[in-house]
Amino acid sequence: MQELVGKHIVLGLSGGVACYKTAHLCRLLTKAGATVQVVMTEAAEQFITPVTMQALSGRTVYTSQWDAREGNNMPHINLSREADAIVIAPCSADFVGKLAQGRADELLSLLCIARPSSGCRCCWPRP
Ligand SMILES: Cc1cc2nc3c(=O)[nH]c(=O)nc-3n(C[C@H](O)[C@H](O)[C@H](O)COP(=O)(O)O)c2cc1C
């Protein structure tokens, strides 16, 4: 857990019932000393609210690639480059398909493909 101290994690939620578990994961990450920036797909918002994730992470949640709060208007670039790691949990079957196909029609998939490949390591959950 010590290795998370001072790390900046983008925690991406896609649409699945397991979004409720990500609330706990968010708390565990912050407790371990990481800062957590939550990004949610539209479908994820059907399962848990950005308000809950904001309260747990202490940061405003990003849900749109058109979010204008970034000075350069490119949240996908900034979020991706600032992160030490991007964790997608839960990762829907739809989202896996998107990543595999390089589709990027919303913020979370867009920031994933904006990530330099040198910083990527794919870790699937072990059974
Ligand atoms: C009640 C409900 C539960 C769902 N649970 C899952 C799930 O556990 N895993 C999954 O891959 N998709 C699940 N889905 C389907 C996704 O929410 C759906 O494919 C959605 O388009 C995913 O969008 P996203 O990948 O942009 O977040 C569920 C849908 C519903 C209505």
Side-chain angles (χ1 to χ4, degrees), residues 68-107:
R69 84 185 90 153
E70 299 287 319
N72 61 359
N73 234 315
M74 291 195 278
H76 60 293
I77 300 290
N78 303 340
L79 291 168
S80 188
R81 293 198 180 152
E82 287 161 8
D84 290 302
I86 300 171
V87 177
I88 311 292
C91 191
S92 68
D94 175 69
F95 202 81
V96 170
K98 262 190 189 179
L99 291 180
Q101 294 173 357
R103 283 160 51 212
D105 58 355
E106 45 69 49
L107 179 59

mmCIF file of all heavy atoms in Angstrom, residues 68-107:
data_model
loop_
_atom_site.group_PDB
_atom_site.id
_atom_site.type_symbol
_atom_site.label_atom_id
_atom_site.label_comp_id
_atom_site.label_asym_id
_atom_site.label_seq_id
_atom_site.Cartn_x
_atom_site.Cartn_y
_atom_site.Cartn_z
ATOM 1 N N ALA A 68 -15.531 22.300 -19.979
ATOM 2 C CA ALA A 68 -14.744 23.492 -20.331
ATOM 3 C C ALA A 68 -13.918 24.016 -19.156
ATOM 4 O O ALA A 68 -13.307 25.071 -19.274
ATOM 5 C CB ALA A 68 -15.667 24.585 -20.845
ATOM 6 N N ARG A 69 -13.872 23.257 -18.045
ATOM 7 C CA ARG A 69 -13.150 23.824 -16.899
ATOM 8 C C ARG A 69 -11.632 23.796 -17.088
ATOM 9 O O ARG A 69 -10.910 24.471 -16.380
ATOM 10 C CB ARG A 69 -13.585 23.146 -15.601
ATOM 11 C CG ARG A 69 -12.894 21.865 -15.260
ATOM 12 C CD ARG A 69 -13.487 21.214 -14.038
ATOM 13 N NE ARG A 69 -14.573 20.304 -14.413
ATOM 14 C CZ ARG A 69 -14.938 19.254 -13.698
ATOM 15 N NH1 ARG A 69 -14.374 19.034 -12.542
ATOM 16 N NH2 ARG A 69 -15.887 18.456 -14.091
ATOM 17 N N GLU A 70 -11.162 22.996 -18.053
ATOM 18 C CA GLU A 70 -9.729 22.958 -18.331
ATOM 19 C C GLU A 70 -9.359 24.137 -19.227
ATOM 20 O O GLU A 70 -10.052 24.395 -20.217
ATOM 21 C CB GLU A 70 -9.364 21.663 -19.060
ATOM 22 C CG GLU A 70 -9.665 20.409 -18.255
ATOM 23 C CD GLU A 70 -8.700 20.205 -17.107
ATOM 24 O OE1 GLU A 70 -7.488 20.431 -17.312
ATOM 25 O OE2 GLU A 70 -9.154 19.823 -16.022
ATOM 26 N N GLY A 71 -8.262 24.807 -18.894
ATOM 27 C CA GLY A 71 -7.855 25.992 -19.631
ATOM 28 C C GLY A 71 -7.694 25.743 -21.127
ATOM 29 O O GLY A 71 -8.053 26.583 -21.946
ATOM 30 N N ASN A 72 -7.161 24.571 -21.489
ATOM 31 C CA ASN A 72 -6.940 24.287 -22.917
ATOM 32 C C ASN A 72 -8.124 23.550 -23.550
ATOM 33 O O ASN A 72 -8.057 23.135 -24.703
ATOM 34 C CB ASN A 72 -5.661 23.464 -23.109
ATOM 35 C CG ASN A 72 -5.721 22.112 -22.404
ATOM 36 O OD1 ASN A 72 -6.717 21.791 -21.750
ATOM 37 N ND2 ASN A 72 -4.666 21.334 -22.523
ATOM 38 N N ASN A 73 -9.183 23.354 -22.748
ATOM 39 C CA ASN A 73 -10.389 22.668 -23.228
ATOM 40 C C ASN A 73 -10.146 21.226 -23.666
ATOM 41 O O ASN A 73 -10.889 20.683 -24.494
ATOM 42 C CB ASN A 73 -11.036 23.456 -24.382
ATOM 43 C CG ASN A 73 -12.499 23.737 -24.096
ATOM 44 O OD1 ASN A 73 -13.214 22.839 -23.665
ATOM 45 N ND2 ASN A 73 -12.943 24.945 -24.301
ATOM 46 N N MET A 74 -9.108 20.621 -23.117
ATOM 47 C CA MET A 74 -8.815 19.237 -23.493
ATOM 48 C C MET A 74 -8.646 18.367 -22.246
ATOM 49 O O MET A 74 -7.533 17.915 -21.929
ATOM 50 C CB MET A 74 -7.560 19.183 -24.361
ATOM 51 C CG MET A 74 -7.779 19.789 -25.728
ATOM 52 S SD MET A 74 -6.496 19.379 -26.899
ATOM 53 C CE MET A 74 -5.268 20.561 -26.468
ATOM 54 N N PRO A 75 -9.756 18.123 -21.546
ATOM 55 C CA PRO A 75 -9.649 17.318 -20.328
ATOM 56 C C PRO A 75 -9.053 15.925 -20.589
ATOM 57 O O PRO A 75 -8.370 15.376 -19.722
ATOM 58 C CB PRO A 75 -11.094 17.226 -19.809
ATOM 59 C CG PRO A 75 -11.960 17.616 -20.958
ATOM 60 C CD PRO A 75 -11.143 18.532 -21.809
ATOM 61 N N HIS A 76 -9.291 15.380 -21.782
ATOM 62 C CA HIS A 76 -8.783 14.024 -22.062
ATOM 63 C C HIS A 76 -7.258 13.984 -22.029
ATOM 64 O O HIS A 76 -6.659 13.031 -21.530
ATOM 65 C CB HIS A 76 -9.327 13.492 -23.385
ATOM 66 C CG HIS A 76 -8.973 14.304 -24.581
ATOM 67 N ND1 HIS A 76 -9.452 15.580 -24.791
ATOM 68 C CD2 HIS A 76 -8.172 14.032 -25.646
ATOM 69 C CE1 HIS A 76 -8.969 16.047 -25.923
ATOM 70 N NE2 HIS A 76 -8.184 15.122 -26.466
ATOM 71 N N ILE A 77 -6.631 15.049 -22.550
ATOM 72 C CA ILE A 77 -5.168 15.100 -22.570
ATOM 73 C C ILE A 77 -4.642 15.334 -21.149
ATOM 74 O O ILE A 77 -3.754 14.617 -20.666
ATOM 75 C CB ILE A 77 -4.668 16.236 -23.494
ATOM 76 C CG1 ILE A 77 -5.143 16.027 -24.933
ATOM 77 C CG2 ILE A 77 -3.152 16.379 -23.416
ATOM 78 C CD1 ILE A 77 -4.500 14.873 -25.654
ATOM 79 N N ASN A 78 -5.203 16.313 -20.480
ATOM 80 C CA ASN A 78 -4.704 16.670 -19.150
ATOM 81 C C ASN A 78 -4.885 15.522 -18.155
ATOM 82 O O ASN A 78 -3.962 15.157 -17.426
ATOM 83 C CB ASN A 78 -5.415 17.929 -18.643
ATOM 84 C CG ASN A 78 -5.245 19.094 -19.602
ATOM 85 O OD1 ASN A 78 -4.335 19.091 -20.431
ATOM 86 N ND2 ASN A 78 -6.110 20.086 -19.508
ATOM 87 N N LEU A 79 -6.083 14.954 -18.145
ATOM 88 C CA LEU A 79 -6.362 13.875 -17.186
ATOM 89 C C LEU A 79 -5.438 12.682 -17.433
ATOM 90 O O LEU A 79 -4.904 12.073 -16.508
ATOM 91 C CB LEU A 79 -7.821 13.421 -17.297
ATOM 92 C CG LEU A 79 -8.870 14.441 -16.826
ATOM 93 C CD1 LEU A 79 -10.267 14.008 -17.250
ATOM 94 C CD2 LEU A 79 -8.806 14.619 -15.320
ATOM 95 N N SER A 80 -5.250 12.361 -18.708
ATOM 96 C CA SER A 80 -4.446 11.200 -19.059
ATOM 97 C C SER A 80 -2.979 11.396 -18.683
ATOM 98 O O SER A 80 -2.332 10.502 -18.123
ATOM 99 C CB SER A 80 -4.581 10.946 -20.564
ATOM 100 O OG SER A 80 -3.978 9.747 -20.910
ATOM 101 N N ARG A 81 -2.457 12.592 -18.969
ATOM 102 C CA ARG A 81 -1.030 12.827 -18.733
ATOM 103 C C ARG A 81 -0.705 13.024 -17.265
ATOM 104 O O ARG A 81 0.408 12.737 -16.827
ATOM 105 C CB ARG A 81 -0.579 14.035 -19.541
ATOM 106 C CG ARG A 81 -0.638 13.718 -21.026
ATOM 107 C CD ARG A 81 0.178 14.659 -21.856
ATOM 108 N NE ARG A 81 0.053 14.273 -23.258
ATOM 109 C CZ ARG A 81 0.171 15.098 -24.274
ATOM 110 N NH1 ARG A 81 0.433 16.378 -24.065
ATOM 111 N NH2 ARG A 81 0.050 14.670 -25.507
ATOM 112 N N GLU A 82 -1.668 13.560 -16.500
ATOM 113 C CA GLU A 82 -1.409 13.813 -15.076
ATOM 114 C C GLU A 82 -1.413 12.514 -14.254
ATOM 115 O O GLU A 82 -0.855 12.471 -13.162
ATOM 116 C CB GLU A 82 -2.481 14.757 -14.503
ATOM 117 C CG GLU A 82 -2.332 16.205 -14.952
ATOM 118 C CD GLU A 82 -3.611 17.031 -14.770
ATOM 119 O OE1 GLU A 82 -4.568 16.527 -14.160
ATOM 120 O OE2 GLU A 82 -3.632 18.165 -15.265
ATOM 121 N N ALA A 83 -2.043 11.490 -14.788
ATOM 122 C CA ALA A 83 -2.264 10.278 -13.995
ATOM 123 C C ALA A 83 -1.033 9.371 -13.939
ATOM 124 O O ALA A 83 -0.375 9.145 -14.950
ATOM 125 C CB ALA A 83 -3.438 9.497 -14.587
ATOM 126 N N ASP A 84 -0.747 8.873 -12.753
ATOM 127 C CA ASP A 84 0.263 7.814 -12.642
ATOM 128 C C ASP A 84 -0.324 6.500 -13.132
ATOM 129 O O ASP A 84 0.400 5.628 -13.618
ATOM 130 C CB ASP A 84 0.702 7.671 -11.179
ATOM 131 C CG ASP A 84 1.514 8.876 -10.723
ATOM 132 O OD1 ASP A 84 2.549 9.153 -11.350
ATOM 133 O OD2 ASP A 84 1.104 9.561 -9.771
ATOM 134 N N ALA A 85 -1.631 6.351 -12.961
ATOM 135 C CA ALA A 85 -2.293 5.131 -13.436
ATOM 136 C C ALA A 85 -3.753 5.443 -13.731
ATOM 137 O O ALA A 85 -4.350 6.343 -13.119
ATOM 138 C CB ALA A 85 -2.205 4.027 -12.382
ATOM 139 N N ILE A 86 -4.300 4.706 -14.691
ATOM 140 C CA ILE A 86 -5.733 4.788 -14.996
ATOM 141 C C ILE A 86 -6.330 3.431 -14.626
ATOM 142 O O ILE A 86 -5.890 2.396 -15.134
ATOM 143 C CB ILE A 86 -5.985 5.082 -16.489
ATOM 144 C CG1 ILE A 86 -5.337 6.420 -16.882
ATOM 145 C CG2 ILE A 86 -7.475 5.089 -16.795
ATOM 146 C CD1 ILE A 86 -5.339 6.685 -18.391
ATOM 147 N N VAL A 87 -7.303 3.463 -13.727
ATOM 148 C CA VAL A 87 -7.957 2.220 -13.304
ATOM 149 C C VAL A 87 -9.409 2.274 -13.769
ATOM 150 O O VAL A 87 -10.123 3.235 -13.448
ATOM 151 C CB VAL A 87 -7.923 2.083 -11.759
ATOM 152 C CG1 VAL A 87 -8.668 0.830 -11.304
ATOM 153 C CG2 VAL A 87 -6.497 2.094 -11.246
ATOM 154 N N ILE A 88 -9.825 1.288 -14.555
ATOM 155 C CA ILE A 88 -11.227 1.240 -15.001
ATOM 156 C C ILE A 88 -11.938 0.167 -14.180
ATOM 157 O O ILE A 88 -11.640 -1.014 -14.304
ATOM 158 C CB ILE A 88 -11.361 0.888 -16.507
ATOM 159 C CG1 ILE A 88 -10.432 1.737 -17.376
ATOM 160 C CG2 ILE A 88 -12.811 1.030 -16.959
ATOM 161 C CD1 ILE A 88 -10.755 3.186 -17.471
ATOM 162 N N ALA A 89 -12.858 0.612 -13.346
ATOM 163 C CA ALA A 89 -13.562 -0.337 -12.485
ATOM 164 C C ALA A 89 -14.951 0.219 -12.136
ATOM 165 O O ALA A 89 -15.012 1.257 -11.489
ATOM 166 C CB ALA A 89 -12.760 -0.587 -11.202
ATOM 167 N N PRO A 90 -16.010 -0.445 -12.514
ATOM 168 C CA PRO A 90 -15.991 -1.648 -13.330
ATOM 169 C C PRO A 90 -15.728 -1.308 -14.791
ATOM 170 O O PRO A 90 -15.953 -0.195 -15.229
ATOM 171 C CB PRO A 90 -17.415 -2.192 -13.157
ATOM 172 C CG PRO A 90 -18.263 -0.989 -12.907
ATOM 173 C CD PRO A 90 -17.393 -0.019 -12.162
ATOM 174 N N CYS A 91 -15.250 -2.315 -15.494
ATOM 175 C CA CYS A 91 -15.001 -2.159 -16.922
ATOM 176 C C CYS A 91 -16.049 -3.015 -17.663
ATOM 177 O O CYS A 91 -15.985 -4.248 -17.637
ATOM 178 C CB CYS A 91 -13.587 -2.621 -17.265
ATOM 179 S SG CYS A 91 -13.109 -2.169 -18.938
ATOM 180 N N SER A 92 -17.034 -2.353 -18.240
ATOM 181 C CA SER A 92 -18.129 -3.075 -18.904
ATOM 182 C C SER A 92 -17.608 -3.799 -20.149
ATOM 183 O O SER A 92 -16.566 -3.431 -20.712
ATOM 184 C CB SER A 92 -19.239 -2.088 -19.303
ATOM 185 O OG SER A 92 -18.785 -1.237 -20.329
ATOM 186 N N ALA A 93 -18.374 -4.787 -20.574
ATOM 187 C CA ALA A 93 -18.026 -5.500 -21.810
ATOM 188 C C ALA A 93 -17.989 -4.511 -22.971
ATOM 189 O O ALA A 93 -17.106 -4.569 -23.843
ATOM 190 C CB ALA A 93 -19.061 -6.596 -22.074
ATOM 191 N N ASP A 94 -18.919 -3.583 -22.934
ATOM 192 C CA ASP A 94 -18.967 -2.547 -23.974
ATOM 193 C C ASP A 94 -17.683 -1.727 -23.984
ATOM 194 O O ASP A 94 -17.130 -1.431 -25.054
ATOM 195 C CB ASP A 94 -20.175 -1.637 -23.690
ATOM 196 C CG ASP A 94 -20.248 -0.463 -24.641
ATOM 197 O OD1 ASP A 94 -20.524 -0.690 -25.817
ATOM 198 O OD2 ASP A 94 -20.009 0.677 -24.198
ATOM 199 N N PHE A 95 -17.192 -1.418 -22.785
ATOM 200 C CA PHE A 95 -15.989 -0.580 -22.699
ATOM 201 C C PHE A 95 -14.748 -1.356 -23.151
ATOM 202 O O PHE A 95 -13.862 -0.799 -23.799
ATOM 203 C CB PHE A 95 -15.818 -0.036 -21.272
ATOM 204 C CG PHE A 95 -14.956 1.192 -21.234
ATOM 205 C CD1 PHE A 95 -15.466 2.433 -21.548
ATOM 206 C CD2 PHE A 95 -13.612 1.090 -20.912
ATOM 207 C CE1 PHE A 95 -14.661 3.567 -21.550
ATOM 208 C CE2 PHE A 95 -12.794 2.210 -20.913
ATOM 209 C CZ PHE A 95 -13.321 3.462 -21.236
ATOM 210 N N VAL A 96 -14.697 -2.627 -22.824
ATOM 211 C CA VAL A 96 -13.586 -3.472 -23.300
ATOM 212 C C VAL A 96 -13.563 -3.447 -24.826
ATOM 213 O O VAL A 96 -12.510 -3.276 -25.453
ATOM 214 C CB VAL A 96 -13.741 -4.932 -22.795
ATOM 215 C CG1 VAL A 96 -12.728 -5.851 -23.478
ATOM 216 C CG2 VAL A 96 -13.575 -5.006 -21.282
ATOM 217 N N GLY A 97 -14.769 -3.578 -25.424
ATOM 218 C CA GLY A 97 -14.874 -3.560 -26.877
ATOM 219 C C GLY A 97 -14.398 -2.236 -27.461
ATOM 220 O O GLY A 97 -13.681 -2.201 -28.463
ATOM 221 N N LYS A 98 -14.777 -1.162 -26.788
ATOM 222 C CA LYS A 98 -14.358 0.165 -27.242
ATOM 223 C C LYS A 98 -12.844 0.300 -27.244
ATOM 224 O O LYS A 98 -12.251 0.794 -28.195
ATOM 225 C CB LYS A 98 -14.901 1.220 -26.278
ATOM 226 C CG LYS A 98 -16.132 1.884 -26.714
ATOM 227 C CD LYS A 98 -16.374 3.057 -25.769
ATOM 228 C CE LYS A 98 -17.723 3.637 -26.045
ATOM 229 N NZ LYS A 98 -18.017 4.752 -25.161
ATOM 230 N N LEU A 99 -12.222 -0.123 -26.141
ATOM 231 C CA LEU A 99 -10.767 -0.010 -26.036
ATOM 232 C C LEU A 99 -10.095 -0.857 -27.111
ATOM 233 O O LEU A 99 -9.123 -0.434 -27.736
ATOM 234 C CB LEU A 99 -10.283 -0.445 -24.648
ATOM 235 C CG LEU A 99 -10.647 0.464 -23.472
ATOM 236 C CD1 LEU A 99 -10.091 -0.095 -22.173
ATOM 237 C CD2 LEU A 99 -10.146 1.890 -23.676
ATOM 238 N N ALA A 100 -10.635 -2.074 -27.306
ATOM 239 C CA ALA A 100 -10.043 -2.983 -28.287
ATOM 240 C C ALA A 100 -10.115 -2.401 -29.696
ATOM 241 O O ALA A 100 -9.220 -2.624 -30.513
ATOM 242 C CB ALA A 100 -10.747 -4.337 -28.230
ATOM 243 N N GLN A 101 -11.198 -1.659 -29.955
ATOM 244 C CA GLN A 101 -11.401 -1.107 -31.302
ATOM 245 C C GLN A 101 -10.843 0.298 -31.454
ATOM 246 O O GLN A 101 -10.924 0.889 -32.534
ATOM 247 C CB GLN A 101 -12.896 -1.088 -31.633
ATOM 248 C CG GLN A 101 -13.497 -2.471 -31.744
ATOM 249 C CD GLN A 101 -15.013 -2.419 -31.913
ATOM 250 O OE1 GLN A 101 -15.616 -1.348 -31.899
ATOM 251 N NE2 GLN A 101 -15.619 -3.574 -32.068
ATOM 252 N N GLY A 102 -10.352 0.871 -30.368
ATOM 253 C CA GLY A 102 -9.824 2.241 -30.435
ATOM 254 C C GLY A 102 -10.907 3.283 -30.627
ATOM 255 O O GLY A 102 -10.676 4.350 -31.182
ATOM 256 N N ARG A 103 -12.120 2.969 -30.150
ATOM 257 C CA ARG A 103 -13.208 3.949 -30.251
ATOM 258 C C ARG A 103 -13.114 4.950 -29.108
ATOM 259 O O ARG A 103 -12.671 4.603 -28.009
ATOM 260 C CB ARG A 103 -14.558 3.228 -30.238
ATOM 261 C CG ARG A 103 -14.881 2.596 -31.572
ATOM 262 C CD ARG A 103 -15.923 1.504 -31.447
ATOM 263 N NE ARG A 103 -17.092 1.962 -30.709
ATOM 264 C CZ ARG A 103 -17.830 1.154 -29.941
ATOM 265 N NH1 ARG A 103 -17.517 -0.109 -29.785
ATOM 266 N NH2 ARG A 103 -18.874 1.629 -29.320
ATOM 267 N N ALA A 104 -13.520 6.158 -29.372
ATOM 268 C CA ALA A 104 -13.336 7.209 -28.370
ATOM 269 C C ALA A 104 -14.424 8.269 -28.510
ATOM 270 O O ALA A 104 -14.143 9.422 -28.819
ATOM 271 C CB ALA A 104 -11.952 7.820 -28.524
ATOM 272 N N ASP A 105 -15.663 7.856 -28.225
ATOM 273 C CA ASP A 105 -16.768 8.800 -28.429
ATOM 274 C C ASP A 105 -17.231 9.464 -27.139
ATOM 275 O O ASP A 105 -18.255 10.106 -27.095
ATOM 276 C CB ASP A 105 -17.948 8.094 -29.118
ATOM 277 C CG ASP A 105 -18.458 6.899 -28.325
ATOM 278 O OD1 ASP A 105 -17.846 6.541 -27.290
ATOM 279 O OD2 ASP A 105 -19.468 6.311 -28.742
ATOM 280 N N GLU A 106 -16.504 9.245 -26.063
ATOM 281 C CA GLU A 106 -16.789 9.943 -24.794
ATOM 282 C C GLU A 106 -15.486 10.057 -24.003
ATOM 283 O O GLU A 106 -14.470 9.464 -24.381
ATOM 284 C CB GLU A 106 -17.947 9.285 -24.010
ATOM 285 C CG GLU A 106 -17.891 7.778 -23.911
ATOM 286 C CD GLU A 106 -16.771 7.275 -23.053
ATOM 287 O OE1 GLU A 106 -16.632 7.789 -21.931
ATOM 288 O OE2 GLU A 106 -16.034 6.387 -23.512
ATOM 289 N N LEU A 107 -15.532 10.811 -22.907
ATOM 290 C CA LEU A 107 -14.290 11.207 -22.235
ATOM 291 C C LEU A 107 -13.425 10.035 -21.764
ATOM 292 O O LEU A 107 -12.206 10.050 -21.955
ATOM 293 C CB LEU A 107 -14.612 12.126 -21.034
ATOM 294 C CG LEU A 107 -13.403 12.594 -20.240
ATOM 295 C CD1 LEU A 107 -12.416 13.370 -21.103
ATOM 296 C CD2 LEU A 107 -13.851 13.430 -19.039
#
